[in-house]
Amino acid sequence: MIKVMDGFRVLEVAQFTFVPAAGAILADWGADVIKVEHPVRGDTQRGFIRMGGFELDPDRHPLIEHPNRGKRSVGIDVSTPDGQQVLYELAASADVFLTNYLPRARQKNRFDVEHIRAANPNIVYARGSAYGDKGPERDTGGFDGTAFWTRSGVGHALSPEELGAPLSQGIPAFGDSVGGMNIAGGIAAALLHRERTGEALEVDVSLLSTAWWAAGASVTQGMETGEAMRALMPQSGGSARLDAGEAKLGPPHQPGGSPANPFLGNYTTSDGGTINLCIVSPTGYIRDTFEHLGIPDAADDPRFSDVLPLMQNADAASALIVDAIGSKPFEYWRQHLKTMKGQWAPFQSLVDLSSDEQAIANDMIVEVESGDGGPAFKVVRGPVQFNHEPLETTRAPQASEHTEIVLMELGIDWDRIEKLKESGAIA
């Protein structure tokens, strides 16, 4: 496997998912990522026992495996002078320092940028935060449920007004994982800059900025028009069709597609599945689409045979498609539409994707050794792939699993390691 970050060392002082996910990506790419954990309790997330309403097995913990695979763990109490000294010695050997601790904690425990740069002036110092490292709320903590989903406006945009209450985020660590990829990309760019100029940079990514980048086109549109985008209530049919209560349609720019395109929308199958048609521009697709839907005569109907009349008669076309897709089961359409020229997708669950032949063909799932000695643990590879090669990685470390090995690599002798253990500075 190509390891584009081979030879780089990352020192991670971080918890939960957001910033550790960046460390996982860098480890995937070949960096030696050393995760510093508290010598007694480890990463606080190790103690989480529920995720999305499901009980978690502490020995097979997805919130630990996903953002920590491929790393080594060292137990250091960074609140002690001896622990801080060990941290500085590690920093002196590293290319990147990665943290999500708040400014107060970084200063109190003496690992803010000036302390780490005193140990290594050439280190790239990367911070992940809820709301950014500048401004009056730089010391305010947050999670993806607050900063990425709620405050950013993303949750508002995806909650139809008719619901009367906002949707919850639904997927734990959703913004965390997206943001972690952003941090990894920023670090890679900073290392390239250092290689070219010799200058070591500070890198900042917030959950708030991650959400606004992900929703950037809609945010820009909102700032341009003053109108906040809102998702439409779900329905079976093209986005132009009104429900039985004649619910008011949103303005044409709202998510869910154009209000005049029957080839955009979610359609319900006979067994309750959903097929999403997403033919944004019907030009050149009309006849092929109607033929694949089993209603070829519609392509010769003057109401639907060209783009302009199709748009003008979107309700009637949508009704035909509702009946056509509703006449056969989900699996039929899943197979039958594979030869259709236009864009579409089966509406799948997160579990469905694990057996999706396209996901498997693109190596999206990786098996790693399980920490409990049981069956292999399946994790998701990062979104970047080099030369089509599948990812090779190791399981997430146990808390403080590699303390002695890593410190001995630094040249710290066993007598000092014993003294550090006795003092509680390390695990």
Side-chain angles (χ1 to χ4, degrees):
M1 173 187 160
I2 294 173
K3 296 183 180 292
V4 296
M5 298 289 287
D6 188 30
F8 290 99
R9 172 170 283 183
V10 178
L11 182 57
E12 176 190 299
V13 183
Q15 299 191 92
F16 305 108
T17 299
F18 175 32
V19 169
I25 291 292
L26 296 171
D28 285 355
W29 294 349
D32 177 20
V33 180
I34 298 173
K35 179 181 179 69
V36 173
E37 302 191 60
H38 190 277
V40 177
R41 61 178 178 270
D43 185 325
T44 300
Q45 193 159 257
R46 292 184 184 275
F48 284 15
I49 59 173
R50 290 182 68 81
M51 182 178 77
F54 294 94
E55 295 290 336
L56 296 175
D57 180 347
D59 295 322
R60 300 180 66 85
H61 202 309
L63 282 175
I64 292 299
E65 290 296 334
H66 169 65
N68 292 297
R69 76 287 188 94
K71 302 178 185 178
R72 299 194 287 173
S73 175
V74 174
I76 303 175
D77 186 346
V78 296
S79 70
T80 66
D82 285 346
Q84 291 162 7
Q85 181 57 40
V86 173
L87 188 69
Y88 300 150
E89 291 176 51
L90 281 167
S93 73
D95 299 281
V96 178
F97 187 86
L98 180 58
T99 188
N100 61 358
Y101 277 83
L102 293 170
R104 261 192 223 99
R106 299 197 304 261
Q107 283 294 324
K108 177 184 176 183
N109 296 302
R110 303 180 62 80
F111 59 83
D112 216 338
V113 60
E114 66 269 23
H115 306 113
I116 297 301
R117 286 268 171 87
N120 182 351
N122 296 315
I123 202 165
V124 170
Y125 192 97
R127 292 173 292 251
S129 61
Y131 303 114
D133 199 55
K134 298 189 292 184
E137 295 181 60
R138 70 185 292 259
D139 226 329
T140 299
F143 293 96
D144 63 336
T146 56
F148 175 85
W149 182 260
T150 304
R151 184 164 179 177
S152 69
V154 168
H156 178 270
L158 295 178
S159 298
E161 188 174 0
E162 297 89 339
L163 283 180
L167 293 172
S168 63
Q169 181 173 296
I171 302 175
F174 189 19
D176 290 343
S177 298
V178 178
M181 186 68 220
N182 294 343
I183 296 171
I187 287 171
L191 289 171
L192 177 62
H193 178 81
R194 191 184 71 173
E195 182 76 16
R196 289 176 169 175
T197 69
E199 181 187 16
L201 302 176
E202 297 175 46
V203 176
D204 280 289
V205 176
S206 71
L207 288 167
L208 189 64
S209 66
T210 292
W212 263 38
W213 169 248
S218 297
V219 173
T220 299
Q221 174 73 5
M223 292 188 293
E224 179 75 12
T225 65
E227 296 182 66
M229 296 193 179
R230 297 295 293 270
L232 302 176
M233 284 291 285
Q235 61 180 352
S236 179
S239 55
R241 299 184 74 238
L242 299 178
D243 62 19
E246 295 295 298
K248 180 182 177 183
L249 287 172
H253 59 264
Q254 283 190 332
S258 163
N261 184 354
F263 289 178
L264 281 177
N266 291 318
Y267 288 86
T268 304
T269 64
S270 63
D271 55 354
T274 300
I275 297 295
N276 172 254
L277 297 184
C278 194
I279 304 174
V280 175
S281 176
T283 302
Y285 293 109
I286 292 174
R287 180 168 297 279
D288 180 74
T289 300
F290 282 131
E291 287 177 351
H292 273 82
L293 295 175
I295 43 176
D297 292 347
D300 296 315
D301 188 320
R303 296 177 298 167
F304 316 133
S305 58
D306 206 350
V307 174
L308 183 58
L310 177 70
M311 298 298 186
Q312 293 170 338
N313 296 281
D315 279 350
S318 182
L320 289 178
I321 299 171
V322 166
D323 291 341
I325 291 182
S327 69
K328 290 184 171 60
F330 177 78
E331 192 57 32
Y332 169 83
W333 293 114
R334 183 184 177 119
Q335 300 302 324
H336 181 69
L337 295 180
K338 286 182 178 181
T339 58
M340 189 171 76
K341 294 178 182 178
Q343 296 73 38
W344 69 282
F347 200 81
Q348 298 190 147
S349 74
L350 296 174
V351 174
D352 293 333
L353 191 63
S354 65
S355 58
D356 186 305
E357 61 183 0
Q358 188 65 15
I360 293 169
N362 283 275
D363 313 303
M364 288 174 57
I365 301 163
V366 184
E367 290 190 350
V368 297
E369 172 195 1
S370 171
D372 68 352
F377 203 99
K378 294 182 179 179
V379 296
V380 178
R381 74 157 171 84
V384 177
Q385 190 172 35
F386 301 103
N387 276 1
H388 291 163
E389 293 189 357
L391 172 65
E392 296 174 8
T393 189
T394 57
R395 62 169 173 79
Q398 301 295 323
S400 306
E401 180 177 346
H402 303 96
T403 302
E404 292 98 338
I405 293 172
V406 171
L407 297 190
M408 290 176 75
E409 288 175 358
L410 290 179
I412 297 177
D413 62 40
W414 191 252
D415 287 343
R416 185 179 168 203
I417 289 174
E418 285 291 338
K419 289 177 182 178
L420 288 167
K421 283 190 172 186
E422 288 171 6
S423 71
I426 67 170

